[in-house]
Amino acid sequence: MAQMMTAVVLDGFDGPEVLVPRDVPRPTAGPGEILVEVHAAGVNRPDVLQRLGHYPPPKGAPDWPGLEIAGLVAAVGEGATRFRVGDRVMALLPGGGYADHASVAETSAMPVPEGLGLIEAAAIPETFFTVWHNVFQRGGLTAGESFLVHGGTSGIGTTAIQLAKAFGATVLATVGSADKAEAARRLGADHAIDYRKSDFVAAAREATGGRGVDLILDMVGGDYLNRNLRAAAEKGRVVQIAFLRGKDAAIDLSLIMTKRLTLTGSTLRAQSPAYKAAIAREIEAKVFPLLTDGRVRPLIDSTFPLTEAAEAHRRIEADHIGKIVLTTKFASDS
C-alpha cells in the first residue's frame, strides 16, 4: 500500500478557498531523482495563476501548486549520485511543492548555502532562477549599466535589486508606497520610484541623466510595454517575464527601430531539466558566494503553515514585501 502525505490540492479554480489540504500518495524517487522531505515551500504569483486556472502544470507534474521547496533528502533514485539521504537541499519544481514530500530531478536541486535556514532556502529557487536567467543571461546586465525592475518589493523585485546591485549596476525600482520605497532602498536600490505619484518614464530618464535605462525587467505588461520602450536607453533591453496588466499591448515600432532596442522574454516552468540544470550550476558558481557571506539574502515577508495555504494566497494578493513561505510539520527553523 502506498505511503501517504499531506498536499494542498485545488478543489476547482477560483479564490484562495479552493486550496484544500488532502492526503495523497507520497511520490517516490525515480531514475535521476531525489525525494525531498519538504520543510518549507515558497509561494509565488504563478501559483495564484494556477489556482485561477490560467497556468496549468507541465505534463507529468503533480496537479497541485508549488514551484520551490527546501528540506532534507529522504531517498535517492537510481542514477542520482550528487546528494545523500539527510542532505539539506533546495529545488526548483515544475509543480507539487505544496506538500510534505516532493520528488525532483536531482539536477534541479542545489545544496542549501551555509548560514541559511530552510525557510530562507525555500524562498530562493523560483526567484533566483528567474532573475539570473532573465537579468544576467538573457538581459546581459553588466557592471556600470543601469537596471530598472518593476514591482521592486515583490519576491522577484527584492531578488533583482540585490543581485543587480551586487554585480555593479545602478538600480532603479518602481514601488507603490513610501514604505516600499524605503524597503527597496535598504535592499540596494539607488532610486525608488513611487509609480502612484510619479511617471516612471520621466523619473527613470532623470535618474540616468536623460539617457534612459540599459535593462528593464517587467512583469506588468499591458500599457507598461510602450512606457518601457520610452524609458529605455539607446541599445537598451526590455525583458518580459509576466503580464499582470494583460498580454496584449500596442507597440510603437519606431522606438525599437530608432533606439535599436531589444525586446525579449521567457518562461521557466516548462523548460527541460537540462535547461534548468545549466541555470542552477551558474547560480551555484556565481551567486552562492553572495548568499554565504550575507551580501544577498532572501527577504521573508511572512510564513504560514502548509495547511493554511489559502491564507498565504490572500497575503500574496494583498500588500506584502518579499517572499511568502509555507512551512510543513517537519519545519524547525523560523
Side-chain angles (χ1 to χ4, degrees):
M1 184 176 177
Q3 290 184 296
M4 305 298 284
M5 68 173 184
T6 299
V8 175
V9 303
L10 293 172
D11 187 16
F13 300 114
D14 205 339
E17 68 277 0
V18 303
L19 293 163
V20 180
R22 287 209 180 122
D23 288 336
V24 300
R26 182 188 299 178
T28 58
E33 293 182 336
I34 57 174
L35 178 67
V36 179
E37 175 191 274
V38 178
H39 287 227
V43 178
N44 295 283
R45 284 283 177 183
D47 302 339
V48 174
L49 294 176
Q50 181 174 342
R51 191 200 77 215
L52 294 171
H54 302 321
Y55 196 28
K59 184 178 180 180
D63 291 336
W64 53 88
L67 299 176
E68 58 185 350
I69 58 169
L72 306 181
V73 176
V76 176
E78 181 181 356
T81 59
R82 187 180 187 199
F83 298 107
R84 297 181 180 180
V85 172
D87 284 352
R88 299 195 321 149
V89 296
M90 54 189 186
L92 184 71
L93 309 176
Y98 288 13
D100 60 44
H101 283 79
S103 59
V104 59
E106 185 183 48
T107 54
S108 293
M110 300 180 289
V112 175
E114 289 295 324
L116 266 68
L118 293 177
I119 288 175
E120 285 184 301
I124 289 175
E126 168 67 9
T127 50
F128 278 68
F129 272 62
T130 299
V131 169
W132 186 259
H133 177 53
N134 289 286
V135 174
F136 296 95
Q137 292 182 330
R138 296 190 70 80
L141 184 67
T142 59
E145 289 192 310
S146 56
F147 168 68
L148 167 63
V149 58
H150 293 296
T153 55
S154 66
I156 293 291
T158 55
T159 300
I161 288 171
Q162 292 184 77
L163 288 180
K165 190 65 177 179
F167 284 95
T170 297
V171 180
L172 298 78
T174 59
V175 297
S177 70
D179 288 346
K180 291 184 176 183
E182 179 57 31
R185 284 190 285 265
R186 285 198 304 268
L187 290 168
D190 299 285
H191 304 277
I193 303 165
D194 188 337
Y195 64 84
R196 299 181 190 276
K197 296 180 178 180
S198 304
D199 173 16
F200 78 78
V201 177
R205 296 193 68 84
E206 180 181 357
T208 55
R211 68 178 300 273
V213 182
D214 295 305
L215 176 64
I216 301 173
L217 182 67
D218 182 47
M219 59 199 81
V220 182
D223 65 325
Y224 264 44
L225 180 51
N226 255 341
R227 297 171 72 187
N228 287 332
L229 299 180
R230 287 165 44 213
E234 287 193 10
K235 299 182 182 179
R237 294 91 68 200
V238 178
V239 183
Q240 201 74 40
I241 58 170
F243 38 83
L244 297 176
R245 286 202 184 185
K247 63 183 177 64
D248 297 319
I251 301 176
D252 183 348
L253 293 175
S254 69
L255 290 171
I256 294 177
M257 295 164 63
T258 58
K259 296 168 76 171
R260 301 182 299 285
L261 304 178
T262 298
L263 173 61
T264 185
S266 74
T267 59
L268 187 59
R269 186 177 193 180
Q271 298 298 332
S272 70
Y275 189 94
K276 296 172 185 175
I279 300 173
R281 303 297 83 80
E282 277 202 25
I283 290 173
E284 289 177 12
K286 298 180 180 180
V287 177
F288 269 32
L290 302 175
L291 289 164
T292 300
D293 68 16
R295 280 180 287 168
V296 171
R297 208 81 176 192
L299 179 63
I300 306 299
D301 173 87
S302 52
T303 62
F304 294 83
L306 175 67
T307 54
E308 296 178 16
E311 289 303 314
H313 273 231
R314 291 185 180 97
R315 178 69 181 174
I316 200 172
E317 291 182 303
D319 204 30
H320 68 284
I321 297 175
K323 290 296 296 267
I324 298 165
V325 177
L326 300 174
T327 58
T328 75
K329 61 185 180 182
F330 300 115
S332 58
D333 56 351
S334 58

